[in-house]
Amino acid sequence: VKEYCAGYDPKNGVFLCEQSDEAAYRLLSEGVGELLRVGEVNCTDSFRALNIRRRIPVRVGVSISGDLMDLTIESDDIPLRELADILKSYRRRKRFHRLKNGDFVDVDQTVAELGDMVDTMRLTPAELASGSVKLPLFRALYLDRMSEKGEALAVSRDARFKKIIREFKTVNESDFEIPAHLQGIMRNYQVFGFRWLRTLEKFGFGGILADDMGLGKTLQAISVMCASKEEGCSGTSLVVCPASLVYNWLEELRRFAPGLRAVAVAGSQSERADIIEESGQDDAA
């Protein structure tokens, strides 16, 4: 008894439990079970009404609308406005969180996965409490990767979301063909990089091609420019690079894409401004 009720009132012969959430949680989660091993335990209705919720059933729904991702968060047992508070307890490495109705919630794997999702999706407490938020479409890839690793959150996806993820997982089987004049020149991993870049472009995503130095990132970028030109896309591709590489890029464009009109934006500030002003007829600058 002293393990869970350290205080003692000798006048009334009563052991007293410390008035803190930690003491109440220990008594509920461990103490009652220990006391039942040695005797009979009687309690008031108000004490019996206290609960420890071992898991938080959270459902996440995701659908694609235009170029945005609609994310919904639902929980039948926990008010959404309290989820943000539960996450605060999790980040403070607490074992539990006390709800406003007096119940306790174990900070378990569900809360950990929810915290990862909130961080990955960059949700604010207000967005989490609303239960519905629109996010940039590219975050669909992060959400899919996160949901693959976790098991506690129930994530439902609509058909378009599944299609986007499927296309990124099967990039090498896409219908994007490299320009004919680069057939036999590009290596297999460069062809994969080309198709990955085209898939990003298709869905309006940004991306970073981070191959090691010397593996042909320039060629892969040039192949995408050539493919866009062959498909009749208008506009000028802008290559931003260190000044020491400007003419290297120009040489590579002439070598691998002789059909593209390319110009180096170099010279004084006024000269560069004039070149940019006139570059609308060029394919690359």
Side-chain angles (χ1 to χ4, degrees), residues 24-58:
Y25 177 80
R26 287 190 67 240
L27 181 60
L28 281 169
S29 61
E30 307 168 15
V32 172
E34 287 293 314
L35 294 173
L36 283 170
R37 292 173 58 186
V38 296
E40 182 177 336
V41 176
N42 297 305
C43 61
T44 64
D45 291 340
S46 59
F47 183 83
R48 190 186 301 275
L50 294 177
N51 294 308
I52 294 180
R53 305 191 186 194
R54 302 297 180 183
R55 295 182 66 85
I56 303 176
V58 177

Side-chain angles (χ1 to χ4, degrees), residues 30-284:
E30 307 168 15
V32 172
E34 287 293 314
L35 294 173
L36 283 170
R37 292 173 58 186
V38 296
E40 182 177 336
V41 176
N42 297 305
C43 61
T44 64
D45 291 340
S46 59
F47 183 83
R48 190 186 301 275
L50 294 177
N51 294 308
I52 294 180
R53 305 191 186 194
R54 302 297 180 183
R55 295 182 66 85
I56 303 176
V58 177
R59 300 184 303 278
V60 177
V62 58
S63 60
I64 306 301
S65 176
D67 58 353
L68 293 174
M69 178 174 66
D70 293 321
L71 186 72
T72 59
I73 302 171
E74 298 177 328
S75 177
D76 295 333
D77 292 354
I78 305 292
L80 291 179
R81 62 182 178 276
E82 291 198 61
L83 282 180
D85 294 331
I86 294 173
L87 287 179
K88 287 181 182 178
S89 297
Y90 160 71
R91 293 189 171 109
R92 292 172 182 165
R93 300 184 182 279
K94 296 183 66 175
R95 294 172 56 197
F96 65 89
H97 175 80
R98 190 79 183 263
L99 295 175
K100 288 182 172 61
N101 68 356
D103 285 354
F104 293 88
V105 174
D106 274 344
V107 178
D108 68 346
Q109 186 62 25
T110 305
V111 180
E113 290 185 18
L114 180 63
D116 289 342
M117 186 197 73
V118 168
D119 293 341
T120 300
M121 298 293 104
R122 301 180 183 180
L123 301 181
T124 65
E127 289 172 334
L128 180 62
S130 72
S132 179
V133 61
K134 292 185 180 295
L135 298 169
L137 185 54
F138 71 86
R139 291 187 189 169
L141 302 178
Y142 297 118
L143 179 61
D144 180 73
R145 179 65 61 87
M146 185 212 69
S147 63
E148 280 185 344
K149 295 179 179 179
E151 298 179 351
L153 289 181
V155 181
S156 60
R157 310 162 178 84
D158 74 349
R160 191 174 173 210
F161 180 94
K162 293 178 181 178
K163 180 178 185 296
I164 291 174
I165 299 303
R166 186 166 54 249
E167 293 207 26
F168 273 97
K169 288 182 176 179
T170 58
V171 166
N172 223 17
E173 299 173 12
S174 70
D175 295 329
F176 295 118
E177 295 294 336
I178 63 172
H181 71 281
L182 294 177
Q183 296 280 354
I185 295 178
M186 297 180 69
R187 299 183 178 183
N188 288 338
Y189 72 86
Q190 293 172 330
V191 173
F192 179 88
F194 162 83
R195 288 175 175 158
W196 179 73
L197 289 169
R198 293 303 308 277
T199 303
L200 287 173
E201 183 183 36
K202 175 180 177 180
F203 292 106
F205 292 175
I208 299 174
L209 185 62
D211 287 344
D212 287 337
M213 185 180 296
L215 293 183
K217 296 184 293 295
T218 301
L219 174 57
Q220 293 174 68
I222 290 173
S223 67
V224 173
M225 296 181 203
C226 290
S228 296
K229 175 73 171 181
E230 291 179 359
E231 293 173 6
C233 297
S234 59
T236 304
S237 297
L238 177 64
V239 177
V240 181
C241 65
S244 60
L245 296 179
V246 170
Y247 290 100
N248 178 73
W249 264 93
L250 200 58
E251 184 60 33
E252 293 291 280
L253 281 161
R254 289 168 179 165
R255 177 184 174 190
F256 293 113
L260 295 183
R261 296 187 303 274
V263 60
V265 183
S268 66
Q269 183 175 354
S270 60
E271 289 173 334
R272 296 197 304 272
D274 291 340
I275 293 171
I276 293 174
E277 183 69 27
E278 298 171 0
S279 64
Q281 301 301 314
D282 297 307
D283 299 308

